[in-house]
Amino acid sequence: MYVDWKQKGIALLSYLWILTLIPLLTNRDDRFIHYHAKQGLLLFLIWIIFIILTYPLTYVPYAGIMIIAITFVALTILNIICIIKVLKGNTWAIPALGFYAEEWQI
């Protein structure tokens, strides 16, 4: 499947947190863009859950900060990997989570 730069640019927005709503709502007919938009929405929701759940950990002196730092780095790396896959024109299911994004009927 050939993916042009316009599709890649719009799909790239999927992994930039709240901007995932733009490709999700505007390009329902393009399978490549919609695939990445659903995964981007899943990652965005994971970021929100991460922020909510780790806020109390900021009061734990060392262990809490380490857990927050490791999770932040892991989610950032996951976002970067997804962006690289978009720029290469590939579809890549996020391990252990991509299945849920594929099953969504959005």
Side-chain angles (χ1 to χ4, degrees), residues 11-20 40 44 79 83:
L12 180 73
L13 294 175
S14 300
Y15 298 107
L16 300 177
W17 298 283
I18 193 69
L19 295 179
T20 191
F44 177 64
N79 264 3
I83 289 171

Side-chain angles (χ1 to χ4, degrees), residues 34-47:
H34 199 64
Y35 177 84
H36 286 289
K38 290 193 295 186
Q39 283 208 145
L41 180 63
L42 178 68
L43 270 177
F44 177 64
L45 294 174
I46 290 171
W47 273 103

